[in-house]
Amino acid sequence: MRTHTSTDARGRQTGRRHPLASIALITIGLLSTGGAYALMTTTASAETSVATQQSVNEGQKIFAANCATCHGMTASGTKDGPSLYGVGAASVDFQMGTGRMPLAYQGPQGAQKPLQFTQEQIDDVAAYIASLAPGPAVPDEKYLAGDADVALGGQLFRTNCAMCHNVAGAGGALTEGKFAPSLKGVEARHIYEAMVTGPQNMPVFSDSNLSPQDKADIISFLKFQNQHASPGGVDLGGLGPVSEGLFIWIFGLGAIVGVTIWITARPN
Amino acid sequence: MTTAQDTTTTKSPVAAPTRGSRFTGAVANYLDERTSISGITKELGRKIFPDHWSFMLGEVALYSFIAILLSGTFLTFFFEPTMTQVHYEGSYVGLKGIEMSAAYASTLDISFDIRGGLLMRQVHHWAALLFVAAIGLHMLRVFFNGSFKKPRELNWVIGFVLFILAMGEGFTGYSLPDDLLSGNGLRIIDGMVKGIPLAGTWISYLLFGGEFPGTAIVPRLYSLHILLLPAILVAALGLHLLLMVINKHTQYAGPGRTNDNVVGVPIMPNFAAKAGGFFFVVFGVIVLISSFFTINPIWNYGPYDPSPISAGTQPDWYIGFADGGLRLVPPGLEFVLWGHTWSFNIILPLIVLGLFIVLVAIYPFLEAWITGDKREHHITERPRNAPTRTAIGAAGVTFYAVLWAAAASDILATHFHLTIEAVTHSLQALLILGPIIAYLIAKRVCLALQKKDREIALHGYESGRMIRLPGGEYHEVHQPLDDYERWRLVDYVDYKPLMIRPDARGRISPVQRVRAVLSRWFFEDRISPATRAELESGEGHH
Ligand code: HEM
């Protein structure tokens, strides 16, 4: 009987040790690759302007394997995808870096999927597309630090972006199933690239429209909003009065009705 | 309110005075001998405590209003109701140096630089939402219980006025901070006002003191919000409570409960602790919510400026139905005629919502006219015993709910990955079909429940115990009800459609004909309660 329990316990122990160990391993693995990845991205993006021929060749291969079905072997476009001449490295970096390309299916709006490529591969494809025709490059690091004028950025954001993305960047609906996504947690470089390339239904904000400094301000504002928890407490998804109304009906009035039921309950 | 002592003097028999009522009497005596305010102590000290949770919803509204008053007074100390432009120099980095109105700047100061200010703002706003929600639920309770019938019709109307005033208070308050979201809301109101034919533009100019947004609207709304509307609200509230005391509370049917008395436990010792504590419970819930959950984060919205518009601009929930109405109007209703633009895309929702609101306000009179019922009522009706009214209520709730959902159509679309057009079209269809379906279902359910009650009153509950009779026949034993339960099931007034008789000149006027048709519609489907005779013969069976 005693041995039985002890084997039993051991069995459970090993059963427990197993997943724990693998979780720890995965965490360590993720952390180290993530760290390395972060280091690599900074260096890689600084180098994109001086793309090597090797990188272009590498990019062409990746493109041919993953993108050519829709964009054509020479990236000149087919009926399934537009020409990529002149879209620039910024567009490729945004589309692949946010998981939009390769496109999964034709819907009202290309969806975001988990990333399929490393940043290095993305840089290669970007170099390849940039080598075909000139276009907006991947933004300079100095605009992405998030240390520019937050207040001014807020104002620019409210005038230029809030009508689609909502004042708090919570996102919003457009017509026919299209939508402006929430901007929570979007990387600075992707915000910049979105502005210069205008993905899908978003307009292009050229440098004459919003100077690079303005864009840096907007990025700083969005970063500021992301990093600062709401001073008032839990923000209920930032959806404004709709979530507030639902909350008060369900939890506020709900709690109080519960109390009234308790008060009027007859002791039996 | 009648005490247990009083009830012994009424027609129906009840138990002898309890210890509680003796204590009440002693308290009343003590005070009366010294102050002669026996009238008041009698009313309050012997106020019968409601014995159903839904009877406490009005109290919830009252207590949240007190929370609003307290927090609102705090806000007035620091809020600056002007639209003078200033540069923000407070401690919130996200808006440093931005030009804004003094109203917005002072609200930011309340939120970030005045101790306890943010909590007070959140208490004020959460309590406002709870206030209107409690009023809404309270109204539904009164409606479905038929508690608005004579002699309480007037109090229904006063309650309705309170509801409108509360929405007015909410809307004016919402616009005070002069942030982008509330400015967008005002812009919508401005658009609605301008959509009124002929006079619209004039009214808008009058309201805003010139071209929208002007510099007059915040101070004006402020006077409304802290002076005029609260004064009327408090007066109406006083009247509401006074009438409630005069008319007494309605009660559910039960043994000894008639239209002539009120039975319950006197408030003084038994429930005083629970009920007195209830104020603090409501207050506590509000403060807890306010400490942990953001409401109206105006610092995210930025100062109002007519050029930016935010996606997903919504009003507070209680104005949502109007916003939903605007979102659901089909396009193409605007045309030019006789040199004027007729914006039926605005006029139509105004008319429909106006009609809806007026119907709510006058419903007691409509029903009394249709049913020809001029008797006094003090017994709370169970919703199932008035199937047509319950069905009308269900239809009304559905109508309102669809409008309400429409105010969040964009959020529905993005969160459920639908197209905004699909959401809008479905809601348009639901707005018409939903109430009809709800009406039919509610009526069927009521009738079925009534049938079940009748069955139970006559034959008792199914006990699940099978017995075999000497003849070999199987039979389930039915458990008879006790008197208390049976009373609840059979004590309701059974109405019949009005018989319309010719008037003095031997004619039946068209109005009376309409009335007869309506009355038939109201009462044609009904299940009569089990009668005494039926009960007696039924009892013999099992
Ligand atoms: C039923 C009554 C009332 C309702 C429903 C109501 C509702 C509101 C709402 C929704 C706001 C916007 C608050 C915000 O988001 O910051 C507001 C603001 C305000 N209310 Fe009230 N209120 C009521 C009564 C009062 C009373 C009686 C007072 C004064 C004694 C008052 C003073 C204020 C002030 C000064 C503000 C602006 C300050 C700020 O926005 O932070 N309110 N009210």
Side-chain angles (χ1 to χ4, degrees):
Chain A
M1 193 63 215
R2 230 179 116 223
T3 29
H4 179 75
T5 22
S6 71
T7 36
D8 215 282
R10 216 185 310 131
R12 242 182 282 129
Q13 254 176 14
T14 42
R16 206 190 301 135
R17 203 183 297 132
H18 224 87
L20 263 190
S22 38
I23 285 172
L25 255 174
I26 290 173
T27 317
I28 293 168
L30 280 177
L31 281 179
S32 51
T33 40
Y37 169 85
L39 278 175
M40 271 165 53
T41 34
T42 38
T43 41
S45 57
E47 281 169 6
T48 28
S49 42
V50 280
T52 59
Q53 191 54 41
Q54 190 198 352
S55 164
V56 170
N57 291 343
E58 198 57 41
Q60 187 167 18
K61 277 189 218 143
I62 300 171
F63 186 87
N66 296 287
C67 325
T69 43
C70 297
H71 290 288
M73 272 321 278
T74 55
S76 54
T78 69
K79 65 177 188 358
D80 289 330
S83 156
L84 298 182
Y85 279 77
V87 301
S91 185
V92 174
D93 189 54
F94 174 81
Q95 297 283 349
M96 290 177 76
T98 60
R100 286 181 167 80
M101 288 293 149
L103 196 67
Y105 56 88
Q106 298 278 2
Q109 180 166 312
Q112 275 183 269
K113 306 174 303 300
L115 290 194
Q116 295 182 9
F117 302 94
T118 64
Q119 189 61 42
E120 203 178 349
Q121 290 172 311
I122 295 175
D123 291 339
D124 291 342
V125 180
Y128 163 64
I129 295 295
S131 73
L132 297 176
V138 172
D140 200 319
E141 279 300 317
K142 70 172 186 237
Y143 298 121
L144 306 180
D147 53 4
D149 191 334
V150 171
L152 198 58
Q155 223 166 12
L156 289 167
F157 184 82
R158 285 189 289 276
T159 348
N160 293 293
C161 325
M163 67 280 241
C164 297
H165 288 284
N166 166 289
V167 266
L174 303 177
T175 52
E176 289 159 9
K178 298 166 202 144
F179 64 95
S182 158
L183 300 184
K184 287 216 166 59
V186 180
E187 272 179 57
R189 55 192 277 136
H190 295 147
I191 300 177
Y192 195 103
E193 288 162 356
M195 289 189 272
V196 283
T197 64
Q200 300 189 71
N201 301 294
M202 175 165 157
V204 173
F205 293 89
S206 69
D207 283 357
S208 56
N209 207 323
L210 284 176
S211 71
Q213 192 52 48
D214 290 343
K215 291 181 176 121
D217 290 344
I218 291 181
I219 290 169
S220 308
F221 166 74
L222 288 172
K223 268 202 168 165
F224 174 83
Q225 279 211 325
N226 266 326
Q227 283 163 359
H228 290 74
S230 169
V234 181
D235 70 358
L236 302 175
L239 293 178
V242 171
S243 46
E244 292 161 3
L246 275 181
F247 184 86
I248 200 70
W249 270 94
I250 296 173
F251 296 101
L253 205 53
I256 287 174
V257 163
V259 174
T260 61
I261 292 176
W262 171 72
I263 290 181
T264 52
R266 280 163 200 287
N268 272 331
Chain B
M1 298 290 122
T2 318
T3 64
Q5 281 158 351
D6 287 348
T7 46
T8 54
T9 64
T10 60
K11 287 171 281 178
S12 36
V14 267
T18 59
R19 244 182 75 214
S21 56
R22 254 185 279 126
F23 180 74
T24 323
V27 171
N29 251 337
Y30 179 89
L31 287 177
D32 196 30
E33 278 165 20
R34 285 155 187 84
T35 60
S36 314
I37 53 162
S38 66
I40 298 170
T41 25
K42 227 186 208 160
E43 285 307 338
L44 297 182
R46 295 163 159 189
K47 184 178 186 302
I48 299 297
F49 198 78
D51 62 355
H52 192 264
W53 66 268
S54 66
F55 294 171
M56 297 184 76
L57 291 168
E59 259 167 282
V60 177
L62 180 64
Y63 299 154
S64 11
F65 182 54
I66 294 173
I68 292 175
L69 281 180
L70 295 177
S71 53
T73 308
F74 178 92
L75 295 179
T76 57
F77 298 153
F78 307 103
F79 181 70
E80 214 177 300
T82 71
M83 292 168 94
T84 320
Q85 292 295 303
V86 297
H87 286 272
Y88 178 68
E89 289 307 335
S91 59
Y92 184 67
V93 185
L95 290 163
K96 204 133 200 138
I98 298 289
E99 192 174 342
M100 57 180 65
S101 67
Y104 186 62
S106 65
T107 313
L108 287 173
D109 287 342
I110 293 176
S111 309
F112 295 106
D113 295 296
I114 284 161
R115 189 152 302 158
L118 183 56
L119 180 65
M120 282 301 145
R121 270 197 62 231
Q122 305 210 120
V123 165
H124 193 66
H125 206 146
W126 278 122
L129 295 198
L130 183 67
F131 180 53
V132 194
I135 298 182
L137 210 55
H138 173 62
M139 277 179 97
L140 288 178
R141 197 290 283 169
V142 169
F143 181 88
F144 284 111
N145 278 343
S147 305
F148 54 77
K149 288 191 293 191
K150 190 179 168 184
R152 297 181 181 76
E153 312 100 308
L154 276 188
N155 224 10
W156 168 270
V157 176
I158 294 173
F160 170 82
V161 169
L162 282 171
F163 186 52
I164 299 291
L165 283 173
M167 292 199 290
E169 271 290 43
F171 189 80
T172 51
Y174 184 73
S175 310
L176 286 182
D178 201 24
D179 59 299
L180 190 59
L181 201 59
S182 72
N184 283 171
L186 272 182
R187 184 50 155 171
I188 294 173
I189 293 288
D190 177 53
M192 285 183 95
V193 168
K194 284 189 173 139
I196 298 171
L198 307 179
T201 314
W202 298 97
I203 301 177
S204 162
Y205 270 64
L206 192 68
L207 222 62
F208 290 92
E211 180 71 69
F212 176 90
T215 55
I217 191 68
V218 166
R220 285 180 183 181
L221 289 177
Y222 190 63
S223 308
L224 290 181
H225 183 78
I226 72 153
L227 192 73
L228 193 61
L229 292 177
I232 307 177
L233 217 161
V234 168
L237 188 60
L239 209 57
H240 191 69
L241 295 180
L242 188 70
L243 276 183
M244 202 267 294
V245 169
I246 293 176
N247 289 334
K248 300 178 183 61
H249 207 287
T250 55
Q251 59 184 340
Y252 273 112
R257 296 170 178 215
T258 69
N259 265 329
D260 308 308
N261 68 358
V262 182
V263 177
V265 189
I267 202 166
M268 243 338 235
N270 304 48
F271 280 112
K274 271 182 173 181
F278 188 51
F279 168 74
F280 294 99
V281 170
V282 173
F283 211 90
V285 168
I286 293 172
V287 175
L288 265 182
I289 290 180
S290 310
S291 339
F292 290 112
F293 298 94
T294 308
I295 189 165
N296 203 15
I298 49 146
W299 50 89
N300 275 346
Y301 303 151
Y304 185 58
D305 163 1
S307 53
I309 307 260
S310 168
T313 299
Q314 279 101 6
D316 268 354
W317 77 261
Y318 42 84
I319 308 288
F321 77 108
D323 194 27
L326 284 180
R327 291 187 189 207
L328 289 190
V329 221
L333 291 180
E334 199 170 54
F335 52 86
V336 176
L337 189 67
W338 304 311
H340 286 284
T341 308
W342 300 82
S343 308
F344 268 89
N345 46 357
I346 289 171
I347 302 170
L348 189 71
L350 278 182
I351 293 175
V352 172
L353 297 182
L355 264 178
F356 179 71
I357 287 178
V358 168
L359 272 182
V360 172
I362 63 169
Y363 184 81
F365 305 100
L366 280 183
E367 190 185 303
W369 182 73
I370 291 176
T371 59
D373 182 4
K374 300 215 163 43
R375 281 172 286 183
E376 284 211 3
H377 296 273
H378 300 290
I379 293 288
T380 310
E381 253 179 306
R382 301 173 82 203
R384 67 185 63 172
N385 290 337
T388 307
R389 179 199 307 132
T390 303
I392 294 173
V397 169
T398 312
F399 183 75
Y400 185 91
V402 173
L403 286 176
W404 198 39
S409 55
D410 53 331
I411 291 183
L412 290 176
T414 49
H415 280 243
F416 297 104
H417 300 288
L418 301 164
T419 69
I420 186 98
E421 290 82 359
V423 173
T424 305
H425 290 148
S426 321
L427 287 174
Q428 280 169 338
L430 261 185
L431 189 67
I432 313 283
L433 297 179
I436 298 175
I437 296 169
Y439 178 91
L440 296 174
I441 293 179
K443 193 155 179 177
R444 283 300 121 200
V445 169
C446 284
L447 291 174
L449 286 173
Q450 268 187 307
K451 248 186 217 146
K452 192 189 96 202
D453 280 356
R454 190 182 147 89
E455 208 43 39
I456 291 175
L458 284 178
H459 306 299
Y461 291 108
E462 291 175 5
S463 65
R465 197 154 59 85
M466 303 298 287
I467 51 168
R468 190 174 166 198
L469 300 180
E473 181 191 348
Y474 283 98
H475 186 80
E476 184 181 5
V477 175
H478 283 236
Q479 183 119 34
L481 298 164
D482 63 30
D483 283 346
Y484 184 86
E485 283 172 293
R486 179 165 323 109
W487 203 297
R488 203 167 55 89
L489 296 186
V490 302
D491 188 52
Y492 62 93
V493 186
D494 176 36
Y495 292 96
K496 294 178 182 58
L498 269 189
M499 289 298 291
I500 299 300
R501 297 200 172 71
D503 62 10
R505 278 172 295 168
R507 272 182 307 185
I508 299 178
S509 70
V511 178
Q512 289 298 322
R513 272 183 221 283
V514 173
R515 190 175 171 191
V517 170
L518 286 175
S519 178
R520 222 173 305 128
W521 157 70
F522 207 85
F523 290 129
E524 70 185 340
D525 298 319
R526 71 208 142 84
I527 310 283
S528 306
T531 62
R532 176 125 302 252
E534 281 174 315
L535 280 173
E536 272 157 14
S537 63
E539 237 151 34
H541 274 315
H542 303 292

